[in-house]
Amino acid sequence: MAMVVRVLAVLLPMLLPGLTAPAVAEPAPLPWTGSWETAPSGTAAALPGAALRNVVHLSVGGLAVRVRLSNRFGTRPLRLGAVTVALRRAAGPGAMPGTLRTATFHGASSVTVPPGADTVTDTVALSVPTAADLLVTVYTPDDSGPATYHRTALQTSYLARSGAGRAADVDGGAYTATTSRWYYVTGVDVRGPAAGSVAALGDSLTDGDGSTPDTNRRWPDRLARRLRGHRTGVLNAGLSGNRLLRDGTGPSALARLDADALDRAGVRTLVVFEGINDIKGAPGASDPAAYADAYRALVARAHARGIPVVGVTLTPYAGYPAWTAAGEAVRQRVNAFIRTGGAFDAVADADAALRDPAAPARLLPAYDPGDHLHFTDAGMAVVADTVHRALIRRPTP
């Protein structure tokens, strides 16, 4: 563990480009870095013949992009008839003129994705700035069965129900319906000078529940703003309803760690903020040792890839209907392990930052959107600040 802490140092020094290459060496190819992610949460009914124009907000820019598309929870082969990418012109489904590109798959404009699988486009020559909105349009000509999607997008995307030929539309006029879900698209990588990314593995608190839709105020978005000067991307692997120890909404954190975090392009650090749904869920998990074992397993798998891990303490939820005194006792013991158990390379104490000093089992009212569990925009900003401090704080020698 001490070796990994030294390698971490904590995050940002590790991400700085190396300076040891000989001056005469050929320049290395620019790397791929994850700029945006969402974790598949389940399936919705297919929309055969439709074009879905997903709006995604990049954390870092680059000189080219590639897109990850998923049929992870599908039960039949998924035929993608056309996929395009473009910079968004403004609010709405219109593309910035001159930026719309057709994505290919091994040179072909369409592809069939087997059930349970993902696919990645070829390199798309499109320069994208940091914090850009990207339109990823997917045309599905057939009924391919259940559509893999992310339920809680907190982002308006657009739908053309008669989608043939509409993936290449620039003005967006055909996209007359809206959706609050992301369909099929689960990641965007950029090629360029970015220095790597931070992957945030979590539940609805990371997914963004409680924050204002269409404003990108989830705490990973806020963290991305704080890391812009370091050319570091942030990937949001939050999944509303997700649990640490068992499957629920999507596979458990232990089951989806590789696909949603460690396998993503350019991941340099993992942030783990998960466990409250295990405490308050049915059935609840009441043995703190099970949480400790799970956190150690997550960290060991990340360390095996040279990726350090930041643990985030579980935040208060008194006042939420599922709160109990017994669950609160479990939360306190789990947080004691996160803070002092030695499993993590750094700790972000979100509990201490967000709790009400007058009632520590509750969120401070300014951070509580009213359900006593999730965070307001202000609360999201505090979590981002707390994680940011953990990332940049050097460990004590």
Short mmCIF file of all heavy atoms in Angstrom, two decimals, residues 11 32-39 56-60 66 68 150 182 186-190 194 196-202 206-207 218-225 227 232-239 256-273 307 387 391:
data_model
loop_
_atom_site.label_atom_id
_atom_site.label_comp_id
_atom_site.label_asym_id
_atom_site.label_seq_id
_atom_site.Cartn_x
_atom_site.Cartn_y
_atom_site.Cartn_z
N LEU A 11 -2.48 12.46 -7.35
CA LEU A 11 -2.95 12.24 -8.72
C LEU A 11 -2.17 13.06 -9.71
O LEU A 11 -1.56 12.54 -10.63
CB LEU A 11 -4.44 12.60 -8.83
CG LEU A 11 -4.97 12.77 -10.25
CD1 LEU A 11 -4.96 11.43 -10.96
CD2 LEU A 11 -6.38 13.34 -10.23
N TRP A 32 -5.25 8.06 -26.20
CA TRP A 32 -6.68 8.18 -26.02
C TRP A 32 -6.98 8.39 -24.53
O TRP A 32 -6.40 7.73 -23.67
CB TRP A 32 -7.41 6.93 -26.49
CG TRP A 32 -7.48 6.77 -27.97
CD1 TRP A 32 -6.76 5.89 -28.74
CD2 TRP A 32 -8.33 7.49 -28.87
NE1 TRP A 32 -7.10 6.02 -30.06
CE2 TRP A 32 -8.07 7.00 -30.17
CE3 TRP A 32 -9.28 8.50 -28.71
CZ2 TRP A 32 -8.72 7.49 -31.30
CZ3 TRP A 32 -9.93 8.98 -29.83
CH2 TRP A 32 -9.67 8.49 -31.10
N THR A 33 -7.90 9.28 -24.26
CA THR A 33 -8.33 9.56 -22.89
C THR A 33 -9.85 9.61 -22.85
O THR A 33 -10.48 10.22 -23.72
CB THR A 33 -7.76 10.91 -22.40
OG1 THR A 33 -6.34 10.83 -22.33
CG2 THR A 33 -8.31 11.26 -21.01
N GLY A 34 -10.44 9.00 -21.84
CA GLY A 34 -11.88 9.11 -21.67
C GLY A 34 -12.27 10.54 -21.32
O GLY A 34 -11.72 11.13 -20.39
N SER A 35 -13.22 11.08 -22.07
CA SER A 35 -13.69 12.44 -21.82
C SER A 35 -15.11 12.47 -21.26
O SER A 35 -15.48 13.41 -20.56
CB SER A 35 -13.64 13.26 -23.11
OG SER A 35 -14.02 14.60 -22.89
N TRP A 36 -15.90 11.46 -21.59
CA TRP A 36 -17.28 11.37 -21.09
C TRP A 36 -17.66 9.91 -20.98
O TRP A 36 -17.22 9.08 -21.77
CB TRP A 36 -18.25 12.08 -22.03
CG TRP A 36 -19.69 11.93 -21.62
CD1 TRP A 36 -20.39 12.70 -20.74
CD2 TRP A 36 -20.60 10.91 -22.05
NE1 TRP A 36 -21.67 12.23 -20.59
CE2 TRP A 36 -21.84 11.14 -21.39
CE3 TRP A 36 -20.50 9.83 -22.93
CZ2 TRP A 36 -22.95 10.33 -21.59
CZ3 TRP A 36 -21.62 9.02 -23.13
CH2 TRP A 36 -22.82 9.27 -22.47
N GLU A 37 -18.48 9.62 -19.96
CA GLU A 37 -18.97 8.25 -19.79
C GLU A 37 -20.33 8.29 -19.13
O GLU A 37 -20.65 9.18 -18.33
CB GLU A 37 -18.02 7.44 -18.90
CG GLU A 37 -18.57 6.06 -18.58
CD GLU A 37 -17.84 5.32 -17.48
OE1 GLU A 37 -16.78 5.79 -17.04
OE2 GLU A 37 -18.35 4.27 -17.06
N THR A 38 -21.12 7.27 -19.42
CA THR A 38 -22.26 6.91 -18.60
C THR A 38 -22.30 5.40 -18.50
O THR A 38 -21.91 4.70 -19.44
CB THR A 38 -23.58 7.48 -19.15
OG1 THR A 38 -24.59 7.38 -18.15
CG2 THR A 38 -24.03 6.75 -20.40
N ALA A 39 -22.76 4.90 -17.35
CA ALA A 39 -22.82 3.46 -17.14
C ALA A 39 -24.19 2.95 -17.55
O ALA A 39 -25.21 3.51 -17.15
CB ALA A 39 -22.57 3.16 -15.66
N VAL A 56 -24.14 14.80 -25.05
CA VAL A 56 -23.18 14.47 -23.99
C VAL A 56 -22.19 15.62 -23.82
O VAL A 56 -21.85 16.30 -24.79
CB VAL A 56 -22.45 13.14 -24.29
CG1 VAL A 56 -23.45 12.02 -24.53
CG2 VAL A 56 -21.51 13.25 -25.47
N HIS A 57 -21.74 15.81 -22.59
CA HIS A 57 -20.90 16.96 -22.24
C HIS A 57 -19.49 16.47 -21.95
O HIS A 57 -19.26 15.75 -20.98
CB HIS A 57 -21.48 17.67 -21.02
CG HIS A 57 -20.80 18.95 -20.67
ND1 HIS A 57 -20.91 20.09 -21.44
CD2 HIS A 57 -20.01 19.28 -19.61
CE1 HIS A 57 -20.22 21.06 -20.87
NE2 HIS A 57 -19.66 20.59 -19.77
N LEU A 58 -18.54 16.86 -22.79
CA LEU A 58 -17.17 16.38 -22.66
C LEU A 58 -16.45 17.08 -21.50
O LEU A 58 -16.71 18.24 -21.20
CB LEU A 58 -16.40 16.62 -23.95
CG LEU A 58 -17.00 16.00 -25.22
CD1 LEU A 58 -16.10 16.28 -26.42
CD2 LEU A 58 -17.23 14.50 -25.05
N SER A 59 -15.52 16.36 -20.89
CA SER A 59 -14.73 16.97 -19.81
C SER A 59 -13.41 17.53 -20.33
O SER A 59 -12.94 18.57 -19.83
CB SER A 59 -14.47 15.96 -18.69
OG SER A 59 -13.80 14.81 -19.18
N VAL A 60 -12.79 16.88 -21.29
CA VAL A 60 -11.56 17.39 -21.90
C VAL A 60 -11.69 17.29 -23.42
O VAL A 60 -12.47 16.49 -23.94
CB VAL A 60 -10.30 16.61 -21.45
CG1 VAL A 60 -9.93 16.95 -20.03
CG2 VAL A 60 -10.47 15.11 -21.63
N ARG A 66 -13.57 9.04 -30.54
CA ARG A 66 -14.18 7.75 -30.85
C ARG A 66 -15.27 7.51 -29.83
O ARG A 66 -15.23 8.03 -28.70
CB ARG A 66 -13.14 6.62 -30.83
CG ARG A 66 -12.54 6.33 -29.47
CD ARG A 66 -11.45 5.28 -29.54
NE ARG A 66 -10.94 4.98 -28.20
CZ ARG A 66 -9.87 4.22 -27.96
NH1 ARG A 66 -9.18 3.69 -28.97
NH2 ARG A 66 -9.48 3.98 -26.71
N ARG A 68 -18.06 4.87 -27.81
CA ARG A 68 -18.40 3.52 -27.35
C ARG A 68 -19.91 3.39 -27.34
O ARG A 68 -20.63 4.24 -26.79
CB ARG A 68 -17.84 3.28 -25.95
CG ARG A 68 -18.15 1.89 -25.38
CD ARG A 68 -17.68 1.79 -23.94
NE ARG A 68 -16.24 1.92 -23.86
CZ ARG A 68 -15.37 0.90 -23.84
NH1 ARG A 68 -15.83 -0.34 -23.87
NH2 ARG A 68 -14.08 1.10 -23.76
N HIS A 150 -29.13 4.47 -20.34
CA HIS A 150 -28.88 5.02 -19.00
C HIS A 150 -30.11 5.83 -18.63
O HIS A 150 -30.45 6.81 -19.30
CB HIS A 150 -27.63 5.90 -18.98
CG HIS A 150 -27.31 6.41 -17.60
ND1 HIS A 150 -26.50 5.72 -16.73
CD2 HIS A 150 -27.71 7.53 -16.95
CE1 HIS A 150 -26.42 6.40 -15.59
NE2 HIS A 150 -27.15 7.50 -15.70
N TRP A 182 -30.14 8.41 -22.04
CA TRP A 182 -29.13 8.20 -23.08
C TRP A 182 -29.30 6.79 -23.63
O TRP A 182 -29.28 5.82 -22.86
CB TRP A 182 -27.72 8.37 -22.52
CG TRP A 182 -27.31 9.79 -22.28
CD1 TRP A 182 -27.36 10.83 -23.16
CD2 TRP A 182 -26.76 10.32 -21.06
NE1 TRP A 182 -26.88 11.98 -22.57
CE2 TRP A 182 -26.51 11.69 -21.28
CE3 TRP A 182 -26.46 9.77 -19.81
CZ2 TRP A 182 -25.95 12.53 -20.30
CZ3 TRP A 182 -25.92 10.60 -18.84
CH2 TRP A 182 -25.67 11.95 -19.09
N THR A 186 -22.30 5.00 -24.49
CA THR A 186 -21.80 4.88 -23.12
C THR A 186 -20.43 5.51 -22.91
O THR A 186 -19.94 5.49 -21.78
CB THR A 186 -21.74 3.40 -22.67
OG1 THR A 186 -20.83 2.69 -23.51
CG2 THR A 186 -23.11 2.76 -22.70
N GLY A 187 -19.82 6.05 -23.94
CA GLY A 187 -18.52 6.68 -23.72
C GLY A 187 -18.02 7.42 -24.94
O GLY A 187 -18.37 7.08 -26.07
N VAL A 188 -17.23 8.46 -24.67
CA VAL A 188 -16.54 9.20 -25.72
C VAL A 188 -15.09 9.38 -25.27
O VAL A 188 -14.83 9.91 -24.18
CB VAL A 188 -17.17 10.58 -25.98
CG1 VAL A 188 -16.37 11.34 -27.03
CG2 VAL A 188 -18.63 10.43 -26.42
N ASP A 189 -14.17 8.93 -26.11
CA ASP A 189 -12.74 9.14 -25.88
C ASP A 189 -12.24 10.23 -26.81
O ASP A 189 -12.76 10.40 -27.93
CB ASP A 189 -11.94 7.87 -26.15
CG ASP A 189 -12.37 6.69 -25.29
OD1 ASP A 189 -12.90 6.92 -24.19
OD2 ASP A 189 -12.17 5.55 -25.73
N VAL A 190 -11.20 10.95 -26.36
CA VAL A 190 -10.56 11.95 -27.21
C VAL A 190 -9.09 11.59 -27.37
O VAL A 190 -8.47 11.05 -26.47
CB VAL A 190 -10.71 13.38 -26.63
CG1 VAL A 190 -12.18 13.78 -26.57
CG2 VAL A 190 -10.06 13.50 -25.26
N ALA A 194 -4.52 15.42 -23.57
CA ALA A 194 -5.05 15.18 -22.23
C ALA A 194 -4.14 14.22 -21.48
O ALA A 194 -3.50 13.33 -22.06
CB ALA A 194 -6.47 14.62 -22.32
N GLY A 196 -4.89 12.03 -19.00
CA GLY A 196 -5.52 10.91 -18.33
C GLY A 196 -6.82 11.34 -17.69
O GLY A 196 -7.23 12.49 -17.77
N SER A 197 -7.49 10.38 -17.05
CA SER A 197 -8.81 10.67 -16.50
C SER A 197 -8.97 10.07 -15.12
O SER A 197 -8.26 9.15 -14.72
CB SER A 197 -9.90 10.14 -17.44
OG SER A 197 -9.76 8.75 -17.63
N VAL A 198 -9.97 10.62 -14.41
CA VAL A 198 -10.42 10.12 -13.12
C VAL A 198 -11.76 9.45 -13.35
O VAL A 198 -12.66 10.05 -13.94
CB VAL A 198 -10.60 11.28 -12.11
CG1 VAL A 198 -11.16 10.76 -10.79
CG2 VAL A 198 -9.28 12.02 -11.89
N ALA A 199 -11.92 8.21 -12.89
CA ALA A 199 -13.19 7.50 -13.00
C ALA A 199 -13.89 7.51 -11.66
O ALA A 199 -13.30 7.13 -10.64
CB ALA A 199 -12.97 6.07 -13.47
N ALA A 200 -15.15 7.97 -11.64
CA ALA A 200 -15.94 8.06 -10.41
C ALA A 200 -16.98 6.95 -10.40
O ALA A 200 -17.94 6.98 -11.17
CB ALA A 200 -16.62 9.42 -10.32
N LEU A 201 -16.78 5.95 -9.55
CA LEU A 201 -17.68 4.81 -9.43
C LEU A 201 -18.64 5.06 -8.28
O LEU A 201 -18.20 5.24 -7.14
CB LEU A 201 -16.87 3.53 -9.19
CG LEU A 201 -17.63 2.21 -9.16
CD1 LEU A 201 -18.08 1.83 -10.56
CD2 LEU A 201 -16.76 1.10 -8.58
N GLY A 202 -19.95 5.08 -8.58
CA GLY A 202 -20.87 5.40 -7.51
C GLY A 202 -22.31 5.09 -7.87
O GLY A 202 -22.60 4.41 -8.84
N THR A 206 -23.55 10.08 -7.27
CA THR A 206 -22.58 10.40 -8.33
C THR A 206 -23.29 10.61 -9.66
O THR A 206 -22.90 11.47 -10.46
CB THR A 206 -21.55 9.26 -8.43
OG1 THR A 206 -20.82 9.18 -7.20
CG2 THR A 206 -20.57 9.49 -9.57
N ASP A 207 -24.35 9.85 -9.90
CA ASP A 207 -25.14 9.99 -11.13
C ASP A 207 -25.71 11.40 -11.25
O ASP A 207 -25.95 11.88 -12.37
CB ASP A 207 -26.26 8.95 -11.12
CG ASP A 207 -26.70 8.52 -12.50
OD1 ASP A 207 -26.15 9.00 -13.50
OD2 ASP A 207 -27.60 7.66 -12.58
N ARG A 218 -23.56 17.87 -11.71
CA ARG A 218 -23.23 16.70 -10.90
C ARG A 218 -21.82 16.92 -10.33
O ARG A 218 -21.01 17.64 -10.92
CB ARG A 218 -23.25 15.44 -11.77
CG ARG A 218 -24.45 15.29 -12.68
CD ARG A 218 -24.21 14.25 -13.76
NE ARG A 218 -25.22 14.27 -14.80
CZ ARG A 218 -25.21 15.06 -15.88
NH1 ARG A 218 -24.22 15.96 -16.04
NH2 ARG A 218 -26.15 14.98 -16.78
N TRP A 219 -21.50 16.24 -9.24
CA TRP A 219 -20.18 16.52 -8.68
C TRP A 219 -19.03 16.10 -9.62
O TRP A 219 -17.99 16.79 -9.65
CB TRP A 219 -20.03 15.95 -7.26
CG TRP A 219 -19.87 14.47 -7.10
CD1 TRP A 219 -20.79 13.57 -6.71
CD2 TRP A 219 -18.65 13.71 -7.30
NE1 TRP A 219 -20.26 12.31 -6.68
CE2 TRP A 219 -18.95 12.37 -7.01
CE3 TRP A 219 -17.35 14.05 -7.68
CZ2 TRP A 219 -18.00 11.34 -7.10
CZ3 TRP A 219 -16.39 13.04 -7.78
CH2 TRP A 219 -16.72 11.70 -7.50
N PRO A 220 -19.14 15.01 -10.41
CA PRO A 220 -18.04 14.76 -11.36
C PRO A 220 -17.88 15.87 -12.40
O PRO A 220 -16.76 16.16 -12.83
CB PRO A 220 -18.44 13.43 -12.00
CG PRO A 220 -19.28 12.75 -10.97
CD PRO A 220 -20.08 13.87 -10.37
N ASP A 221 -18.99 16.52 -12.81
CA ASP A 221 -18.88 17.66 -13.72
C ASP A 221 -18.13 18.81 -13.05
O ASP A 221 -17.28 19.48 -13.66
CB ASP A 221 -20.26 18.15 -14.15
CG ASP A 221 -21.06 17.10 -14.90
OD1 ASP A 221 -20.49 16.46 -15.79
OD2 ASP A 221 -22.25 16.93 -14.59
N ARG A 222 -18.48 19.06 -11.80
CA ARG A 222 -17.80 20.13 -11.05
C ARG A 222 -16.31 19.81 -10.88
O ARG A 222 -15.46 20.69 -10.99
CB ARG A 222 -18.45 20.29 -9.67
CG ARG A 222 -19.93 20.65 -9.70
CD ARG A 222 -20.13 22.13 -9.91
NE ARG A 222 -21.50 22.51 -9.58
CZ ARG A 222 -21.88 23.77 -9.41
NH1 ARG A 222 -21.02 24.75 -9.54
NH2 ARG A 222 -23.14 24.05 -9.12
N LEU A 223 -16.01 18.55 -10.62
CA LEU A 223 -14.61 18.15 -10.48
C LEU A 223 -13.87 18.36 -11.79
O LEU A 223 -12.71 18.82 -11.80
CB LEU A 223 -14.53 16.69 -10.06
CG LEU A 223 -13.13 16.12 -9.89
CD1 LEU A 223 -12.36 16.83 -8.77
CD2 LEU A 223 -13.19 14.61 -9.61
N ALA A 224 -14.51 18.04 -12.91
CA ALA A 224 -13.87 18.24 -14.21
C ALA A 224 -13.47 19.70 -14.41
O ALA A 224 -12.40 20.00 -14.96
CB ALA A 224 -14.80 17.78 -15.33
N ARG A 225 -14.32 20.64 -13.96
CA ARG A 225 -13.97 22.05 -14.08
C ARG A 225 -12.73 22.38 -13.26
O ARG A 225 -11.88 23.17 -13.70
CB ARG A 225 -15.15 22.91 -13.62
CG ARG A 225 -16.39 22.77 -14.48
CD ARG A 225 -17.56 23.57 -13.92
NE ARG A 225 -18.82 23.10 -14.49
CZ ARG A 225 -20.01 23.56 -14.14
NH1 ARG A 225 -20.10 24.50 -13.21
NH2 ARG A 225 -21.10 23.09 -14.71
N LEU A 227 -10.30 20.46 -12.62
CA LEU A 227 -9.11 19.79 -13.16
C LEU A 227 -8.76 20.23 -14.58
O LEU A 227 -7.82 19.70 -15.17
CB LEU A 227 -9.32 18.27 -13.14
CG LEU A 227 -9.46 17.62 -11.76
CD1 LEU A 227 -9.74 16.13 -11.91
CD2 LEU A 227 -8.21 17.85 -10.92
N THR A 232 -7.08 17.00 -17.34
CA THR A 232 -7.52 15.71 -16.81
C THR A 232 -9.02 15.53 -17.03
O THR A 232 -9.81 16.39 -16.65
CB THR A 232 -7.20 15.62 -15.30
OG1 THR A 232 -5.79 15.75 -15.12
CG2 THR A 232 -7.65 14.29 -14.73
N GLY A 233 -9.39 14.42 -17.63
CA GLY A 233 -10.80 14.11 -17.84
C GLY A 233 -11.43 13.51 -16.60
O GLY A 233 -10.73 13.00 -15.70
N VAL A 234 -12.74 13.55 -16.53
CA VAL A 234 -13.50 12.92 -15.44
C VAL A 234 -14.62 12.10 -16.06
O VAL A 234 -15.38 12.60 -16.89
CB VAL A 234 -14.07 13.97 -14.46
CG1 VAL A 234 -14.91 13.28 -13.39
CG2 VAL A 234 -12.95 14.79 -13.82
N LEU A 235 -14.71 10.84 -15.65
CA LEU A 235 -15.69 9.90 -16.17
C LEU A 235 -16.70 9.58 -15.08
O LEU A 235 -16.32 9.16 -13.98
CB LEU A 235 -15.00 8.61 -16.63
CG LEU A 235 -13.93 8.81 -17.72
CD1 LEU A 235 -13.27 7.47 -18.05
CD2 LEU A 235 -14.55 9.42 -18.96
N ASN A 236 -17.97 9.76 -15.38
CA ASN A 236 -19.03 9.54 -14.40
C ASN A 236 -19.60 8.13 -14.57
O ASN A 236 -20.41 7.87 -15.46
CB ASN A 236 -20.13 10.58 -14.57
CG ASN A 236 -21.16 10.53 -13.44
OD1 ASN A 236 -21.32 9.50 -12.80
ND2 ASN A 236 -21.84 11.63 -13.23
N ALA A 237 -19.17 7.22 -13.70
CA ALA A 237 -19.68 5.85 -13.68
C ALA A 237 -20.70 5.69 -12.57
O ALA A 237 -20.81 4.62 -11.95
CB ALA A 237 -18.54 4.85 -13.52
N GLY A 238 -21.47 6.76 -12.29
CA GLY A 238 -22.53 6.69 -11.31
C GLY A 238 -23.76 6.01 -11.89
O GLY A 238 -24.06 6.14 -13.07
N LEU A 239 -24.48 5.31 -11.04
CA LEU A 239 -25.65 4.54 -11.48
C LEU A 239 -26.70 4.60 -10.38
O LEU A 239 -26.54 3.99 -9.32
CB LEU A 239 -25.23 3.09 -11.74
CG LEU A 239 -26.13 2.22 -12.58
CD1 LEU A 239 -26.39 2.83 -13.95
CD2 LEU A 239 -25.52 0.83 -12.72
N ARG A 256 -19.28 -4.55 -11.90
CA ARG A 256 -19.12 -3.66 -13.05
C ARG A 256 -17.84 -2.82 -13.02
O ARG A 256 -17.64 -1.97 -13.88
CB ARG A 256 -20.35 -2.75 -13.17
CG ARG A 256 -20.51 -1.71 -12.08
CD ARG A 256 -21.87 -1.00 -12.20
NE ARG A 256 -22.03 0.07 -11.23
CZ ARG A 256 -21.72 1.34 -11.44
NH1 ARG A 256 -21.20 1.73 -12.61
NH2 ARG A 256 -21.92 2.25 -10.51
N LEU A 257 -16.99 -3.08 -12.05
CA LEU A 257 -15.78 -2.27 -11.89
C LEU A 257 -14.96 -2.19 -13.17
O LEU A 257 -14.55 -1.10 -13.60
CB LEU A 257 -14.93 -2.82 -10.76
CG LEU A 257 -13.57 -2.16 -10.56
CD1 LEU A 257 -13.70 -0.70 -10.14
CD2 LEU A 257 -12.75 -2.94 -9.52
N ASP A 258 -14.69 -3.32 -13.79
CA ASP A 258 -13.84 -3.31 -14.97
C ASP A 258 -14.52 -2.57 -16.13
O ASP A 258 -13.95 -1.64 -16.71
CB ASP A 258 -13.50 -4.74 -15.40
CG ASP A 258 -12.54 -5.43 -14.44
OD1 ASP A 258 -12.06 -4.78 -13.50
OD2 ASP A 258 -12.29 -6.64 -14.63
N ALA A 259 -15.73 -2.99 -16.48
CA ALA A 259 -16.40 -2.43 -17.66
C ALA A 259 -16.67 -0.94 -17.53
O ALA A 259 -16.55 -0.19 -18.51
CB ALA A 259 -17.70 -3.18 -17.92
N ASP A 260 -17.01 -0.48 -16.32
CA ASP A 260 -17.43 0.91 -16.16
C ASP A 260 -16.33 1.82 -15.64
O ASP A 260 -16.52 3.04 -15.60
CB ASP A 260 -18.63 0.98 -15.21
CG ASP A 260 -19.90 0.45 -15.83
OD1 ASP A 260 -19.94 0.32 -17.07
OD2 ASP A 260 -20.86 0.17 -15.09
N ALA A 261 -15.19 1.27 -15.27
CA ALA A 261 -14.13 2.13 -14.73
C ALA A 261 -12.75 1.72 -15.23
O ALA A 261 -12.13 2.44 -16.02
CB ALA A 261 -14.17 2.12 -13.20
N LEU A 262 -12.26 0.57 -14.83
CA LEU A 262 -10.85 0.24 -15.08
C LEU A 262 -10.55 0.04 -16.56
O LEU A 262 -9.42 0.30 -17.01
CB LEU A 262 -10.46 -1.02 -14.30
CG LEU A 262 -10.65 -0.94 -12.78
CD1 LEU A 262 -10.11 -2.21 -12.13
CD2 LEU A 262 -9.99 0.30 -12.19
N ASP A 263 -11.53 -0.41 -17.35
CA ASP A 263 -11.29 -0.65 -18.78
C ASP A 263 -11.42 0.61 -19.62
O ASP A 263 -11.15 0.58 -20.83
CB ASP A 263 -12.27 -1.70 -19.32
CG ASP A 263 -11.98 -3.09 -18.81
OD1 ASP A 263 -10.88 -3.31 -18.25
OD2 ASP A 263 -12.86 -3.98 -18.95
N ARG A 264 -11.84 1.71 -19.05
CA ARG A 264 -12.02 2.94 -19.82
C ARG A 264 -10.67 3.55 -20.17
O ARG A 264 -9.67 3.35 -19.47
CB ARG A 264 -12.88 3.93 -19.04
CG ARG A 264 -14.27 3.41 -18.73
CD ARG A 264 -15.14 3.27 -19.97
NE ARG A 264 -16.42 2.62 -19.71
CZ ARG A 264 -17.55 2.96 -20.30
NH1 ARG A 264 -17.57 3.95 -21.18
NH2 ARG A 264 -18.67 2.31 -20.03
N ALA A 265 -10.65 4.31 -21.27
CA ALA A 265 -9.37 4.81 -21.80
C ALA A 265 -8.73 5.82 -20.87
O ALA A 265 -9.38 6.78 -20.43
CB ALA A 265 -9.60 5.44 -23.18
N GLY A 266 -7.46 5.61 -20.57
CA GLY A 266 -6.66 6.61 -19.89
C GLY A 266 -6.96 6.80 -18.42
O GLY A 266 -6.55 7.82 -17.84
N VAL A 267 -7.63 5.85 -17.77
CA VAL A 267 -7.95 6.03 -16.35
C VAL A 267 -6.67 5.99 -15.53
O VAL A 267 -5.88 5.05 -15.62
CB VAL A 267 -8.94 4.95 -15.87
CG1 VAL A 267 -9.13 5.01 -14.36
CG2 VAL A 267 -10.28 5.12 -16.58
N ARG A 268 -6.47 7.03 -14.72
CA ARG A 268 -5.29 7.14 -13.88
C ARG A 268 -5.62 7.04 -12.40
O ARG A 268 -4.75 6.73 -11.59
CB ARG A 268 -4.58 8.48 -14.14
CG ARG A 268 -4.08 8.65 -15.57
CD ARG A 268 -2.91 7.73 -15.87
NE ARG A 268 -2.41 7.94 -17.23
CZ ARG A 268 -2.79 7.24 -18.29
NH1 ARG A 268 -3.69 6.27 -18.14
NH2 ARG A 268 -2.30 7.49 -19.48
N THR A 269 -6.86 7.33 -12.03
CA THR A 269 -7.28 7.27 -10.63
C THR A 269 -8.75 6.86 -10.58
O THR A 269 -9.54 7.25 -11.43
CB THR A 269 -7.10 8.64 -9.93
OG1 THR A 269 -5.73 8.98 -9.91
CG2 THR A 269 -7.61 8.60 -8.50
N LEU A 270 -9.09 6.07 -9.57
CA LEU A 270 -10.46 5.64 -9.33
C LEU A 270 -10.97 6.30 -8.05
O LEU A 270 -10.26 6.32 -7.04
CB LEU A 270 -10.51 4.12 -9.19
CG LEU A 270 -11.84 3.49 -8.79
CD1 LEU A 270 -12.87 3.66 -9.90
CD2 LEU A 270 -11.66 2.01 -8.44
N VAL A 271 -12.17 6.85 -8.10
CA VAL A 271 -12.84 7.37 -6.91
C VAL A 271 -14.04 6.48 -6.64
O VAL A 271 -14.87 6.26 -7.53
CB VAL A 271 -13.29 8.83 -7.11
CG1 VAL A 271 -14.02 9.34 -5.86
CG2 VAL A 271 -12.10 9.72 -7.44
N VAL A 272 -14.16 5.97 -5.41
CA VAL A 272 -15.25 5.06 -5.03
C VAL A 272 -16.14 5.76 -4.01
O VAL A 272 -15.69 6.11 -2.92
CB VAL A 272 -14.70 3.74 -4.45
CG1 VAL A 272 -15.85 2.85 -3.96
CG2 VAL A 272 -13.85 3.01 -5.48
N PHE A 273 -17.41 5.95 -4.37
CA PHE A 273 -18.40 6.61 -3.51
C PHE A 273 -19.67 5.77 -3.58
O PHE A 273 -20.60 6.09 -4.27
CB PHE A 273 -18.63 8.03 -4.01
CG PHE A 273 -19.51 8.89 -3.13
CD1 PHE A 273 -19.85 8.52 -1.84
CD2 PHE A 273 -19.98 10.11 -3.61
CE1 PHE A 273 -20.65 9.33 -1.05
CE2 PHE A 273 -20.77 10.94 -2.83
CZ PHE A 273 -21.12 10.54 -1.55
N ILE A 307 -3.51 1.61 -10.66
CA ILE A 307 -4.45 2.73 -10.50
C ILE A 307 -4.72 2.95 -9.02
O ILE A 307 -5.25 2.06 -8.34
CB ILE A 307 -5.77 2.44 -11.24
CG1 ILE A 307 -5.52 2.30 -12.74
CG2 ILE A 307 -6.81 3.52 -10.96
CD1 ILE A 307 -6.73 1.84 -13.53
N VAL A 387 -13.40 15.95 -3.00
CA VAL A 387 -12.64 14.97 -3.79
C VAL A 387 -11.40 15.63 -4.39
O VAL A 387 -10.31 15.03 -4.40
CB VAL A 387 -13.54 14.37 -4.89
CG1 VAL A 387 -12.72 13.48 -5.83
CG2 VAL A 387 -14.67 13.57 -4.26
N LEU A 391 -7.45 14.50 -4.09
CA LEU A 391 -6.62 14.18 -5.24
C LEU A 391 -5.29 14.91 -5.23
O LEU A 391 -4.25 14.37 -5.64
CB LEU A 391 -7.38 14.52 -6.53
CG LEU A 391 -8.59 13.66 -6.87
CD1 LEU A 391 -9.32 14.25 -8.07
CD2 LEU A 391 -8.18 12.22 -7.16
#
